[in-house]
Amino acid sequence: MAFDMDEKPAEGRVGFFTDTSICIGCKACEVACKEWNAVPEDGLTFTGWSYDNTVGLGADTWRHVAFVEQRRPLGHQEPGVGDMDFRWLMASDVCKHCTHAACLDVCPTGSLFRTEYGTVVVQEDVCNGCGYCVPACPFGVIGKRESSGTAAKCTMCYDRLGAGQEPACATTCPTDSIQFGDLEELRERAARRLEQVHAAGMSSARLYGHDSGDGVGGTGAFFLLLDEPEVYGLPPDPVVTTRDLPSMWRHVGLAALGLLAGVAATAWRAGPPGGRGRS
Amino acid sequence: MDFGWPLLRQLTGKDRTGRAAAVKSARTGALTARTATADRVVKSVCPYCAVGCAQNVYVRDERVIQIEGDPDSPISRGRLCPKGAATLQLTTDPGRRRKALHRPPGAADWQEIDLATAMDMVADRIIETRRATWEWEKDGRRVARTLGIASLGGATLDNEENYLIKKLLTALGVVQIENQARVCHSSTVVGLGTSFGRGGATTFMQDLQHSDCVIIQGSNFAEAHPVGFQWVMEAKARGAVVIHVDPRFTRTSALADLHVPIRAGSDVAFLGAIINHVLENDLYFHEYVVNYTNAATILREDYRDAEDGDGLFSGFDAETRTYDTNSWQYEGMEVTAAGGERDAGSGRRTGRVPPGRGEMSGAAGVPLEGAPDRDETLRHPRCVMQVLRRHFARYTPEMAERVCGVPRELFDQVCRHLTENSGPDKTAEFVYAVGWTQHSDGSQFIRAASILQLLLGNIGRPGGGIQALRGHASIQGSSDVPTLFNLLPGYIPMPHAHEHPGLRDFLRADAPHKGCWADMPGYLVSLLKAWWGEAAQPDNDFRFGYLPRLTGSHSTYDTVLAQLDGVCKGYILLGENPAVGSANAKMQRLGMAELDWLVVRDLNMIESATWWRDGPEIETGELKTADIGTEVFFLPAASHTEKSGSFTNTNRLLQWHHQAVEPAGDARSDLWFMYHLGRIIREKLAGSQDPMDAPVLDLTWDYPVSGEVAEPDAEAVLAEINGRDPEGRPLSGYHELKDDGSTTCGCWIYCGVYADGVNQAARRRPHTEQDWIAAEWAWAWPANRRVLYNRASARPDGRPWSERKKLVWWDADAGRWTGFDVPDFELHKSPRYRPPPAAQGVEALSGIDPFIMQADGKGWLFAPAGVVDGPLPTHYEPQDSPVANPLYGHQRNPARKVYPHEANRYHPSGAEPGASVYPYVVTTYRLTEHFTAGGMSRHTPYLAELQPEMFCEVSPELAAERGLVHGDWATIVTARNAIEARVMVTDRMPSLRLDGRVLHQIGLPFHFGPNGLVRGDAANELASISLDPNSHIQEVKALSADIRPGRRPRGPALPEFVRAYQQRAGVTGTTGTEA
Amino acid sequence: MSQTDVRLDGSAEVRTEREATPGSAGHRRERPAAPRPSADSYYGRPVLNEPTWQAADIAGYLFLGGLAGASSTLAAAAELTGRPHLARVAKVGALGALGGSLYALIHDLGRPDRFVNMLRVFKVTSPMSVGTWILTAYGPQAGCAAAADVSGLAPRLGRAATLGAGLAGPAVATYTAALICDTAVPAWHEGFREMPFLFAGSATAAAGGLGMLAAPLAEAGPARRAALLGAAVECVAATRMERRLGPLAEPLKRSSLLRVGEALSLLGALAGITAGRRSRIAAMAAGAALLAGSACTRFGIFRAGMESANDPKYTVQPQRRRLAKAQAEADLT
Ligand SMILES: Nc1nc2c(c(=O)[nH]1)N[C@H]1C(S)=C(S)[C@@H](COP(=O)(O)OP(=O)(O)OC[C@H]3O[C@@H](n4cnc5c(=O)[nH]c(N)nc54)[C@H](O)[C@@H]3O)O[C@H]1N2
Ligand SMILES: Nc1nc2c(c(=O)[nH]1)N[C@H]1C(S)=C(S)[C@@H](COP(=O)(O)OP(=O)(O)OC[C@H]3O[C@@H](n4cnc5c(=O)[nH]c(N)nc54)[C@H](O)[C@@H]3O)O[C@H]1N2
Ligand code: SF4
Ligand code: SF4
Ligand code: SF4
Ligand code: SF4
Ligand code: SF4
Ligand SMILES: [Mo]
């Protein structure tokens, strides 16, 4: 299909494996990201959503830590909390740097582009704030910043990668819940890790975004989750919208032709027979 | 790459769809990481908590452009928690104050003031107040001091700064010098110090990886020390069991194997029950216990245990509510020298320990004299082991369930994991912090854990020990180089008026003749020489007389009372925010409102600087700005990136941070402030013949300064702390200190940090180039040891207990101790060494005495001295508690300190009438996202947004019982005050079933206050001042309260509301004050 | 299994904390399993970020763009079939609508000064980019056509431009369907097969309406017929779309704007073809109704899309069903 990534993703593609089973919900990743990228503060409202007050990813939050309190067991963990099961899940979310990235595909200016590391990056100086990328992203990641009028999201610290440094969020993560590196290697590591976690009784654990056969061709930032993706606010089966774009274009073409023919027919109705237009 | 029209590149290049290289802009092409373009990278240390994560500070054009973790650090390995990650914003945010401000008495607002003028005025105020309040004598004894001035703060400061504060203010005769260590971990110093000989954590962070079982209790490790928590994960990855015992299910519990909910304030019962389990089932580590602890030591006949006294030990004096500790002594010993208060002349000593003396054991154990009797079969009815058995016999699992609300099966699991993972092949570690320290018997919580760990043989061994997680970046340092009223540097006690007229009395009383404290004369004389130089001579007692004398407790809470009484008139806040962070915040403000003057030095505009214009009492009408006569100075402080100095982390590690840039505006380091304040005062007093001025004028006070602002050289101060030999060369260790005045040393335990004239604290050999001990990363006291008492990692004969857990052992061929760590033992003392009967000092310790700071060389299961409220931990209820003490008739710690005052009323407790008016247990704690009283997080946008409002955590059951709605408001009320908070209904705050009833607990983070980007009522409005008698730490971890839906009353209706509650509960001035 | 012995190697074989498995050593008491609430979302928060597009701008753009494009086609047809008044009305109308749509489009940009950045690239993957180039081709011709007609200058160029614009018009009118469907907004994306026809119909109806409104009765025949055809196509497309969307159609079905739009279009078209042939007043009223109907339809589609994006169930449930189906298929084989 015409809309695949140009550079084949295999060589030198880097990414994140975020292992939420060892996340302590400290939000250092959120803060480190903001410090490095000078992302503005994102509102000071109390949500009551457990310990999450930054709500979700957007132009002013590029890493977001979700907190989920559930009356379900976590492996063999003894939560000690009354007569019920209990677990507290924490997970740090980020732009997925999709193999097939809708945001990038739809961007009319070329502001969003695929870097030499296989990541997806907004070029602030190019973006004209058309906002198209925002509804295109199936994960609800990218947003348009009020103050600058341009789109913003995780760059996987493009500038740091250039300097041979790891992204700020991965660097700071106290428990190494965010692991950065060569994507292929991370995928292998993740598969091993999943086995380990399953063996420890966490049957609800699964990888998310690791599968290059999924609707976005696999993600550059993938996760080990301990529950269904939607519990963390992630779509269960995201599809890059441009997968259907060729078909869309065909339908658009047909409709346009129909319009042309129909209008022509209305004018020539009294004219030569056979020009009765489309029905 | 050319950057013409991208469309052309698209059409001509490989990127035909225009989604990659073709559309790259010129700016993107030129992008470089700002770290890569920095002019320099300055090595630093995180200024928040005591984990002490190393930072790299990137500077370009003399501005800090980025701060991140230093990957070389063996502790943090480059990682930072959200606070550490927010340091760039903390230090460079435009919101930070840079201008000196002055508020004249009665004024409605600040005025800008010239810094030099402000310094001059402050110096004048100090001189005037000092003259006006000077006391040569009190009750006929020389005190040579002023109670008119007090200072508070130090845990956020460098050791060098604390040193100058203590030095200058002491020379000025100020005794009320305090810092966060008091409110944070003072009970740790007592608890660990009396048990093992030193008041610091017995181990270090990285050693957690060797632990087979990590019990985190009284600490929320993952939230309060997140980067340190990686070592718990490391242990977990290597197969350890992780247990969290906490009233709440926290982010630590979420990562643990087992969470045990416990009623706040009941840990002694829980630990006592484990001790009982270990003893009953013979699960203790026999060889270790017999040889390395005082289990075999025999006690005096007149000792009576609390079990026989319904909660009282022998020696209690109901009138003074203190113990005479003589009867707690070892049989066959001479009477305690330990801080014995001497009746002048008679020479007869009583066992009454003066306030704050327990902390002397911060660096070395409590002094003792004589040779105790022992029964190594442990069968003698009066041997410690038998006393211990009897004391804890009633601490059964059923009792733990009744007292703590811990179900039997959970208790059994903890016992099983802990005991299975202790022994020659295994080690278990306890980790605690202020969930244990901040109780009216906090020292005893820590004693209980110490006893347990000694019984299990877990002290001094890899993966074992007790990890006391300290709070602020240098709170350990501000205890070592203490800005504390009762201590001199290195845990040498401050002299008491009644006991210590002269140096000899002092040394005779306080320097024991066995163990390492025997060398105290050398430490003290060297300190006096460091302070008073040439003026200190043998014939003038080395100016021992220049030290002001104590007469009782002068802790920060006593100072508040002194302010309310009009005794204390001037107050200097050096990086502490008592208007939010100290118990009974209102009383703190009322005290400050009585002052003549107040100096606040801080990074941000904290509540303690602004209470006179917008404090809660202005709103209620209890105070009126125009009537407040306090003159206030606000002097902006320099941040850690703007000065050089050393922080001492939670594991006694001194780490140097280098100045990266000059401070802007009027911001100055506290080193600058103290040095120039001293200089100005000395200039003003120059030529004075008044004897009260001599200590200041004789002070050694000539530090080299440099730069535009004349910043004193911090390394010169460190060199003074380290000490010099007669030729002025830096000493390399405290064994070189002499008592003849030939050596100087500002803090004996830090002696060696400047060995060879090299700043050892600044060493930064990457951990990847060292073993796991990382001995060449910075410098730890004592003598760069990382695991204390590590002689105990070997058997009595000197061989390791096991191959897996070997750390330090005796190399018979070489005739010396060797191993991975620096041996915490005399290097050449053979395991077979036994002291001759008349031996003194270290010589008196045998080859099997691993606790070298203890007078008897043993770990103390039973503390014959050093703890004033009992030789063994005993369960008492918190000061305010809805639960009646099921174990003893004495509801509360009989020796605790209470401060009856109109603004400090206590609750009826347990079964007392009125107790049900405050039916719930409140506990207070931290969130990862904020820092302490909020001065370093509520003003910092990136942290503020993460937890933007004060909230209370309640269980669904309590919410239902009281009609509390998630997200709405609730009002929490005690006899002190009422606050409001948003309601967070959560399963993480389990209700407990104990003694046939359901008990609800309420959780309150204590970070909020009225100033900053995110605001809220301070939890400390609710807390009373009620203190642990050993350490004067306040009880903020367990109190009783009521909660109701809705916001609190405003204005004058608020105090009315609180009073109405008091009346309903029948609260009077004496409620809760009985022994 | 424990590896807690003290070793000095610190080498790679020493596992790091990444391998820590919380809870692995726990011993959980057996408890009754709590009923599992079906969690569609994270605290009810949408999965998708809300489009930043303003209704007035983007729905307005969809409407005006459609009107412009179809009008140009109608103009060309009128011109070729000798209906100069209708042609002029359509050309001027197209230019006006184009102006309005460009204004709306630029107004919605966060950085309007960077509008030209759209011309940096041509991206077939981006309907907005494609649309920009279509507009770039179409705009000058539509302008030229109208200018030549009104001024009477350069008639030949005008005619060429009219034909060119007329040919480009359908593209202008329909690419916007791809524009909104090429998003993750469930109600838009899933309707991508019908949306172009719906838009084409709606645009044609609007253009017809404009013709009726402004052109003399005598020349307005094609406009009336176009309106009828357009309205019919629009309705059929909308119905088919709602059927295909299944539960996802809820926001569409709930939309009163869409109902009103449909009604206005049909009414206008029928009135135009009947009373509108005789009465100028009736024709004008019918024309206005058609325009309003088309606008309502576009705003309705826009709103329904927003609604579907803002409720996580529209994102999650179809995806879950898809997964379940795939799973079932996989299980079969
Ligand atoms: N993020 C962050 N980190 C910090 C700080 C901060 O403010 N924010 N402050 C620093 C400072 S100054 C300090 S002292 C340390 C303190 O570190 P911690 O002591 O870990 O902090 P706290 O949250 O006060 O208390 C720890 C836990 O004790 C529990 N607890 C309360 N009462 C009891 C009890 O009676 N028994 C038991 N077993 N547990 C109880 C609380 O529920 C809480 O989870 O943290 C340091 N690190
Ligand atoms: N209810 C309740 N109360 C508690 C606790 C609790 O758990 N519950 N915990 C207690 C504990 S453990 C502690 S340690 C205290 C902490 O209470 P505080 O020490 O009062 O709180 P902080 O906000 O840390 O105050 C330190 C101040 O120092 C400033 N500062 C930072 N660096 C510098 C510097 O270099 N120079 C100067 N001059 N100032 C600087 C900061 O801006 C900050 O305002 O709170 C205690 N209070
Ligand atoms: S997650 Fe969204 S923003 Fe990130 S690359 Fe994929 S489509 Fe783009
Ligand atoms: S808003 Fe910016 S980045 Fe997003 S699609 Fe438009 S031009 Fe591209
Ligand atoms: S990779 Fe960089 S930009 Fe992306 S979330 Fe992490 S820190 Fe932020
Ligand atoms: S920094 Fe790491 S541990 Fe902390 S919240 Fe982010 S992912 Fe979790
Ligand atoms: S606050 Fe403590 S744990 Fe966090 S980065 Fe600083 S020193 Fe490390
Ligand atoms: Mo603390």
Side-chain angles (χ1 to χ4, degrees), chain B residues 156-157 180 183-184 434 438 472 475 574-578 581-582 601-604 606 637-638 643 670 924-926 931-936 1006 1019-1020 1034 1036-1037:
Chain B
T156 62
L157 310 184
Q180 286 91 339
V183 300
C184 180
V434 300
Q438 292 165 345
H472 283 91
I475 195 150
L574 296 155
E576 190 161 344
N577 190 4
S582 293
R601 288 184 45 80
D602 210 282
L603 304 175
N604 285 308
I606 53 172
K643 62 189 184 190
D670 299 274
T924 61
Y925 48 84
R926 294 161 166 71
F931 197 67
T932 49
M936 293 166 80
F1006 87 103
N1020 276 320
Q1034 74 292 347
V1036 285
K1037 283 293 182 243

Side-chain angles (χ1 to χ4, degrees), chain B residues 5-7 10 23 77 79 210-212 233-234 236-238 255-257 409 413 462 772 804-805 820, chain C residues 2-8 14-17 20-27 29 119-123 133:
Chain B
W5 193 17
L7 187 58
Q10 185 187 343
V23 297
R77 301 191 284 190
R79 301 156 195 190
H210 300 127
S211 192
D212 297 280
M233 301 300 282
E234 197 82 51
K236 180 76 221 146
R238 293 167 134 230
L255 277 284
D257 294 306
E409 48 185 329
Q413 279 198 49
W772 61 276
R804 298 187 72 221
K805 301 280 175 179
F820 307 145
Chain C
S2 131
Q3 306 187 8
T4 55
D5 41 331
V6 177
R7 285 179 306 203
L8 281 179
V14 176
R15 295 195 292 179
T16 63
E17 73 278 21
T21 310
S24 53
H27 179 78
R29 274 179 291 166
L119 301 179
R120 287 178 84 239
V121 283
F122 174 79
K123 288 176 71 174
W133 288 104

Side-chain angles (χ1 to χ4, degrees), chain A residues 103 106-109 111-112 122 126-133 142 144 151:
Chain A
C103 62
V106 304
C107 176
T109 60
S111 160
L112 276 155
V122 191
V126 173
C127 173
N128 65 13
C130 72
Y132 200 0
C133 47
I142 196 165
K144 193 161 106 181

Side-chain angles (χ1 to χ4, degrees), chain B residues 8-193:
Chain B
L8 276 181
R9 291 203 303 264
Q10 185 187 343
L11 295 175
T12 56
K14 272 192 289 193
D15 176 20
R16 283 292 156 82
T17 57
R19 289 179 297 173
V23 297
K24 201 164 162 180
S25 77
R27 182 174 164 277
T28 305
L31 214 57
T32 35
R34 60 183 188 276
T35 37
T37 60
D39 298 332
R40 58 179 183 273
V41 183
V42 179
K43 296 290 176 181
S44 194
V45 179
C46 175
Y48 285 94
C49 95
V51 174
C53 300
Q55 296 184 326
N56 282 335
V57 178
Y58 295 83
V59 181
R60 188 172 62 213
D61 302 332
E62 297 312 311
R63 284 179 43 243
V64 175
I65 52 164
Q66 172 68 358
I67 299 179
E68 45 193 71
D70 180 350
D72 292 344
S73 164
I75 308 161
S76 58
R77 301 191 284 190
R79 301 156 195 190
L80 295 174
C81 81
K83 296 173 299 311
T87 8
L88 176 64
Q89 193 172 54
L90 173 81
T91 54
T92 61
D93 193 64
R96 216 182 111 192
R97 302 290 161 153
R98 308 279 193 180
K99 195 74 202 78
L101 299 172
H102 177 230
R103 183 257 180 180
D109 214 339
W110 292 111
Q111 297 163 4
E112 289 202 352
I113 187 171
D114 173 64
L115 181 60
T117 313
M119 288 297 289
D120 204 61
M121 287 168 77
V122 171
D124 284 340
R125 301 295 176 274
I126 291 175
I127 292 170
E128 280 161 30
T129 304
R130 182 169 175 267
R131 291 233 181 287
T133 59
W134 188 261
E135 287 180 290
W136 279 115
E137 288 194 342
K138 168 115 181 174
D139 302 333
R141 288 178 213 278
R142 183 186 157 96
V143 288
R145 69 178 185 197
T146 168
L147 292 181
I149 301 173
S151 84
L152 184 65
T156 62
L157 310 184
D158 299 334
N159 291 315
E160 296 72 23
E161 297 177 324
N162 276 296
Y163 181 74
L164 288 200
I165 297 170
K166 183 72 178 183
K167 183 176 174 183
L168 178 67
L169 294 185
T170 304
L172 284 165
V174 175
V175 291
Q176 299 162 115
I177 306 169
E178 285 275 275
N179 77 60
Q180 286 91 339
R182 177 71 55 216
V183 300
C184 180
H185 262 282
S186 49
S187 43
T188 285
V189 178
V190 177
L192 296 181

Side-chain angles (χ1 to χ4, degrees), chain B residues 870-884:
Chain B
L872 288 172
T874 305
H875 170 74
Y876 301 115
E877 285 295 320
Q879 172 64 26
D880 291 345
S881 168
V883 176

Side-chain angles (χ1 to χ4, degrees), chain B residues 189-234:
Chain B
V189 178
V190 177
L192 296 181
T194 51
S195 304
F196 311 124
R198 299 188 190 96
T202 72
T203 176
F204 68 118
M205 211 64 84
Q206 300 94 290
D207 186 41
L208 267 165
Q209 65 186 304
H210 300 127
S211 192
D212 297 280
C213 176
V214 182
I215 299 194
I216 304 165
Q217 183 173 357
S219 149
N220 189 1
F221 203 158
E223 299 200 39
H225 302 85
V227 180
F229 193 73
Q230 68 181 281
W231 296 104
V232 176
M233 301 300 282
E234 197 82 51

Side-chain angles (χ1 to χ4, degrees), chain A residues 94-98 100-104 120 136-142 153:
Chain A
V94 69
C95 169
K96 315 301 176 293
H97 295 274
C98 310
H100 304 305
C103 62
L104 188 166
V120 178
C137 169
F139 299 96
V141 168
I142 196 165
K153 71 163 190 79

